[in-house]
Amino acid sequence: MLQAKGQQQAALRAAAAKAKKEHVGNKVYLRGLVEYSNRCAKNCLYCGIRRDNLAVRRYTMSDEEVVAAARYAHEARYASIVIQGGEIATATRAKEIARLLDKINAATGGSLGITLSLGEQSRRTLDEWKRAGARRYLLRVETSSPALYAKIHPGDALHDFGARVRTLGYLRELGYQVGTGCMIGLPFQTIDDLAADILFFQEIDADMVGMGPYVEHDRTPLYRHRESLRPAAERLELTLNMIAVLRLMMKDINIVAATAMQALDKEGREKALRAGANIVMPNITPVKYRGEYLLYRDKPCVKEEADRCRSCLDARVRMAGDEIVYGEWGDSRHFARKMAGAPALNM
Ligand code: SAM
Ligand code: SF4
């Protein structure tokens, strides 16, 4: 199924579109993306803002800048934001984020659904952030294969597959809506690895999933394997098939139409919506920082202000046959069902 082409692919996508309509509706929810900081203690072999990329000018947004972005999202009725950044697991950073959450909630009357995506953190820190008002956490497992994980990360204690999975467990225990995901089309990755990723999402009972194609960056160690990669068009199709299969297997979760889709195809995000995704993350980071948060090359919307992104977004989503819902958090229905004690809808 993951490699479906032609008629089989059309049937897969049609079934996924039907499941989407039935279980989450043709509604798209927004998450204003704040790229909070590109400082990172880690050195993932695929990522453009890895610690050892000395060509990156490092920044951390001020509290005022983050609060202004949150106000923008509130006024534009996005209803939710994601604060994302490199992984800094210090006590100082933990306090900074807790303080930031307080300020955002004070400035917006607690009206925003806040997702954090700040890498692996201690259970205590995650607890502190949950108490300060974060509702959701996005931590991609990147790949569910420990062997592949070891090939795309340095072999040290800071890049430990077990620790990543443990952190997902903490998030669940602490009551977060748990988001995870993987990259698709990595060097060395097989179709079996990708099938196992979907089973992993089911096994940990994810509430939301963000999967995107791997896009190479010339200042990273994995770049030397670029010749062995599947062509970009194939990575895109594979990602769309993954989204469709996931929608059929986990019918009521939130699935993100990842920004990296657009790096490979101008209409990548709309295609993702048609294949079963229901979440879009418009970038609301101040433009002055965007050029320094380049995880991969050809990242879209690097020069556009949030407003311009918003107007093109409405039209793009409508093109995909969906409607953006403004002013609603758009929490995972899967999570809500679990909280209500309803039986799971998974296949
Ligand atoms: N530092 C946090 C973490 O790693 O979980 C959050 C920020 S990190 C930049 C967000 C995601 O970017 C990662 O989970 C990874 O999947 C994705 N990413 C990094 N480099 C990428 C690349 N070259 N192509 C596609 N996605 C990439
Ligand atoms: Fe840091 Fe996340 Fe990039 Fe890894 S993927 S280097 S943790 S920002």
Side-chain angles (χ1 to χ4, degrees):
M1 267 304 163
L2 294 180
Q3 286 178 299
K5 288 193 174 64
Q7 277 187 351
Q8 200 190 22
Q9 186 177 53
L12 168 66
R13 304 266 175 93
K18 185 166 171 277
K20 170 177 164 179
K21 191 170 178 182
E22 219 170 291
H23 295 283
V24 293
N26 282 108
K27 295 174 178 173
V28 168
Y29 295 94
L30 302 180
R31 312 279 184 248
L33 175 64
V34 182
E35 293 164 337
Y36 170 64
S37 173
N38 65 1
R39 292 183 196 282
C40 189
K42 285 174 89 163
N43 234 345
C44 306
L45 303 182
Y46 43 83
C47 179
I49 60 170
R50 64 197 299 274
R51 189 184 66 213
D52 284 356
N53 183 0
L54 301 181
V56 175
R57 199 165 42 92
R58 302 289 165 172
Y59 73 87
T60 299
M61 286 172 65
S62 68
D63 285 9
E64 291 67 35
E65 286 170 329
V66 179
V67 169
R71 271 216 186 89
Y72 171 82
H74 175 56
E75 280 156 20
R77 307 194 67 236
Y78 283 7
S80 287
I81 57 170
V82 179
I83 300 176
Q84 190 184 76
E87 184 177 309
I88 303 287
T90 60
T92 312
R93 173 54 64 88
K95 292 270 163 307
E96 280 167 8
I97 298 295
R99 186 189 63 211
L100 199 49
L101 288 166
D102 282 345
K103 287 187 184 175
I104 293 170
N105 282 327
T108 60
S111 66
L112 288 175
I114 305 176
T115 306
L116 297 179
S117 179
L118 297 165
E120 290 156 48
Q121 301 287 339
S122 68
R123 195 180 191 287
R124 187 180 163 160
T125 295
L126 295 169
D127 188 26
E128 186 179 352
W129 292 349
K130 178 83 177 33
R131 286 171 200 278
R135 299 172 62 78
R136 322 177 182 116
Y137 204 99
L138 190 55
L139 184 77
R140 285 182 173 181
V141 71
E142 314 297 1
T143 170
S144 62
S145 155
L148 178 57
Y149 193 90
K151 285 186 185 148
I152 62 169
H153 293 96
D156 59 28
L158 203 55
H159 302 84
D160 178 47
F161 178 78
R164 199 135 184 111
V165 175
R166 255 193 316 282
T167 309
L168 286 166
Y170 298 152
L171 293 168
R172 167 75 62 230
E173 286 161 22
L174 291 167
Y176 278 94
Q177 290 173 48
V178 179
T180 188
C182 61
M183 281 177 286
I184 296 165
L186 285 161
F188 323 112
Q189 191 177 41
T190 65
I191 294 295
D192 284 354
D193 288 332
L194 290 170
D197 288 349
I198 293 194
L199 296 177
F200 174 86
F201 305 150
Q202 265 196 331
E203 192 185 309
I204 68 157
D205 200 19
D207 301 302
M208 49 188 182
V209 170
M211 302 180 289
Y214 162 67
V215 185
E216 61 275 31
H217 187 297
D218 57 356
R219 286 188 174 268
T220 60
L222 273 201
Y223 193 66
R224 66 172 175 270
H225 299 290
R226 64 190 177 285
E227 305 294 342
S228 70
L229 295 176
R230 294 169 192 278
E234 203 179 309
R235 271 179 267 165
L236 186 85
E237 290 305 319
L238 200 48
T239 306
L240 294 170
N241 284 353
M242 284 281 285
I243 291 174
V245 170
L246 182 65
R247 175 57 73 202
L248 289 171
M249 292 186 65
M250 300 184 76
K251 297 184 170 61
D252 55 355
I253 63 166
N254 279 344
I255 303 180
V256 182
T259 314
M261 306 287 288
Q262 261 175 297
L264 296 190
D265 179 334
K266 270 206 277 201
E267 288 180 17
R269 255 190 339 200
E270 295 82 88
K271 289 182 179 172
L273 294 177
R274 279 194 220 107
N278 67 327
I279 301 287
V280 166
M281 293 169 45
N283 198 333
I284 57 169
T285 311
V287 170
K288 66 174 177 179
Y289 295 127
R290 295 207 200 164
E292 304 301 334
Y293 200 87
L294 297 183
L295 312 178
Y296 43 81
R297 63 176 168 76
D298 299 333
K299 197 165 166 239
C301 287
V302 170
K303 296 197 180 108
E304 282 160 89
E305 285 292 357
D307 275 303
R308 282 192 56 195
C309 278
R310 180 181 167 176
S311 55
C312 81
L313 208 65
D314 272 319
R316 281 166 169 265
V317 169
R318 231 173 283 127
M319 253 163 54
D322 287 345
E323 202 62 50
I324 295 179
V325 181
Y326 288 101
E328 285 181 30
W329 279 352
D331 278 342
S332 161
R333 284 201 189 174
H334 185 70
F335 184 79
R337 283 178 70 87
K338 271 191 293 192
M339 291 298 105
L345 282 181
N346 291 347
M347 203 167 94

